[in-house]
Amino acid sequence: MTKIDNHRKGTEPRWLGPASHSRTALVPSISAARWLLFLIVAAGIYFFYGFLVPVLAALVIGFASWPIYRELLRRVGGNTTVGATIALLLIIAFLIVPIFIAASYTASEVREWFGWAVEVNKTGAPVPAWIAALPGVGAWMSEQWVRYIGTPGAIGEVIQLVSGANIGNIYRAIVAAGNGAFHLILTLLFMLIALFFVYRNGVSFARQIDLVGERILPTRWERISRVVPATISSTVTGMTLIAIGEGIILGIAYWIAGVPSPVTLGVLTGVMALIPGGAPLSFTLVSVYLMASGSLTAGIALLAWGSIELFIVDKTIRPRLVGGPIKLPFLPTFFGLVGGVKTMGFLGLFIGPVLMALLVAVWREWVREVEISAIEAEMIETSVAIDEPPPLRKTAT
């Protein structure tokens, strides 16, 4: 075969295009690396989705308690393993154990409520005397009680109308909910393991995040890396821990005042305290119930104690603890709370508002940058207009 034939054969058209003598890659190496990284991250999220909630909870707790952990680390001579172990034991003693105790009491009280509802649904219940004695609305509330509670089968009809489920099925589901305790304990165990490594390797992990963040957002990362930890610490300290404290304090006050199911009402008050204005609404309703049921002194004392406690928290404790750059309005707080519970369960009470706070913080940073850019552009236009020479005037001939 001659050289001319070889040349003609080499230049024949191919399915994937003409042959190239250079070694140019079909896909640039940087694009291939980015797609490979994207596929690896997507596969990791898919396979380890079940660990996402405990890891997020560990990161939130680690961010919020990092100043305390830094002081603890200094006292143990910089030994990260010892410091992480002590910090984890403190988290278990002062956060996990009280939550579990309150949850167990709440579950037992809620089970009693459902037992009462099942029994009343069978036989009915008379109108309580304190409801009938309410001035102005007593007659109307008595009529509603007879219609929706006092008549046998009325509660079941209301529940079936609202949720589409029978009250017996709901009661059996509540009783069988103890089977989900194993999943909750397993999630909690993974969270504690992740929290231990967040404490022990947090500094090196933050350094690596900063390196990657500088490559992704070279002009914005420095400010975002300061805003995000402060926002998380502010949200967790200002909303979650104070809400837990208000739930405990007001729950004890409910118990002293003789309110039925004080633990459950205390837990509900703590959850409501995550929403602005939720705690005052909770103890006001309980106080009104006490005064209407005949315990006038206890109701007035509970209302006064709740008002004093709320004033002290809002005027002294909250400003000292909350040092972050963001305060969430009502609507983002509510969406974060409801969305967190719906997506992540119990831990969503804490993670949902934090994620919403991060979204609001990033949004405000972007708006701030746009405003600064607009001001700079206006200043440049003004300086250019000042530096331009005035137009020449035509002289009359």
Side-chain angles (χ1 to χ4, degrees), residues 115-186:
W116 173 85
V118 170
E119 185 65 26
V120 170
N121 187 62
K122 293 179 181 178
T123 61
V127 180
W130 65 271
I131 291 181
L134 288 175
V137 296
W140 179 82
M141 292 190 66
S142 299
E143 181 182 350
Q144 303 304 315
W145 177 281
V146 172
R147 177 182 300 176
Y148 296 110
I149 298 177
T151 306
I155 296 180
E157 292 178 0
V158 172
I159 292 178
Q160 193 166 8
L161 180 64
V162 173
S163 64
N166 185 270
I167 186 172
N169 296 333
I170 296 177
Y171 177 72
R172 285 189 289 271
I174 294 295
V175 173
N179 297 329
F182 176 75
H183 175 71
L184 179 62
I185 293 174
L186 193 62

Side-chain angles (χ1 to χ4, degrees), residues 21 48 82-83 113 135 137 183-184 205 218 236 238 254 259 264 276 278 289 293 297 328 335 386 389 393 395:
H21 296 287
F48 300 105
V82 176
W113 286 5
V137 296
H183 175 71
L184 179 62
F205 182 68
V236 174
Y254 296 158
V259 179
T264 303
Y289 161 75
S293 60
T297 304
L328 276 179
F335 284 165
I386 293 175
R393 297 180 178 178
T395 59

Side-chain angles (χ1 to χ4, degrees), residues 341-394:
V341 172
K342 182 179 179 181
T343 306
M344 303 177 182
F346 175 74
L347 293 177
L349 286 174
F350 313 101
I351 300 177
V354 170
L355 295 180
M356 185 59 70
L358 290 180
L359 290 176
V360 173
V362 172
W363 172 258
R364 289 178 177 175
E365 285 299 313
W366 284 347
V367 172
R368 178 178 174 275
E369 289 185 1
V370 171
E371 292 176 349
I372 292 176
S373 300
I375 293 173
E376 291 177 351
E378 185 178 355
M379 292 176 63
I380 292 174
E381 292 177 359
T382 304
S383 62
V384 170
I386 293 175
D387 293 339
E388 287 182 354
L392 296 176
R393 297 180 178 178
K394 294 182 179 180

Side-chain angles (χ1 to χ4, degrees), residues 8-22 24 26:
R8 289 175 179 174
K9 185 177 180 180
T11 56
E12 289 179 356
R14 300 187 179 187
W15 288 359
L16 298 178
S20 175
H21 296 287
S22 61
T24 303
L26 182 62

Side-chain angles (χ1 to χ4, degrees), residues 266-314:
V267 171
L268 292 176
T269 302
V271 174
M272 291 293 294
L274 292 171
I275 305 173
L281 177 64
S282 300
F283 69 74
T284 300
L285 291 177
V286 176
S287 301
V288 170
Y289 161 75
L290 285 174
M291 289 184 284
S293 60
S295 302
L296 183 62
T297 304
I300 294 175
L302 179 61
L303 184 62
W305 167 248
S307 303
I308 295 172
E309 182 266 342
L310 188 66
F311 177 81
I312 294 174
V313 169
D314 287 342

Side-chain angles (χ1 to χ4, degrees), residues 310-322:
L310 188 66
F311 177 81
I312 294 174
V313 169
D314 287 342
K315 298 301 180 182
T316 60
I317 299 178
R318 195 186 298 272
R320 290 179 179 272
L321 293 179
V322 181

Side-chain angles (χ1 to χ4, degrees), residues 173-250:
I174 294 295
V175 173
N179 297 329
F182 176 75
H183 175 71
L184 179 62
I185 293 174
L186 193 62
T187 302
L188 183 62
L189 179 62
F190 284 135
M191 186 201 74
L192 293 176
I193 294 173
L195 182 60
F196 174 81
F197 286 100
V198 166
Y199 283 138
R200 198 185 72 170
N201 303 324
V203 176
S204 60
F205 182 68
R207 191 181 301 115
Q208 296 172 16
I209 292 293
D210 283 335
L211 289 175
V212 176
E214 288 290 344
R215 293 296 301 273
I216 298 176
L217 299 171
T219 60
R220 297 185 179 94
W221 181 255
E222 183 179 358
R223 181 168 180 81
I224 290 178
S225 62
R226 295 196 305 266
V227 170
V228 169
T231 300
I232 294 177
S233 179
S234 170
T235 305
V236 174
T237 305
M239 294 177 58
T240 308
L241 295 184
I242 292 180
I244 293 174
E246 289 186 352
I248 294 174
I249 294 174
L250 290 174

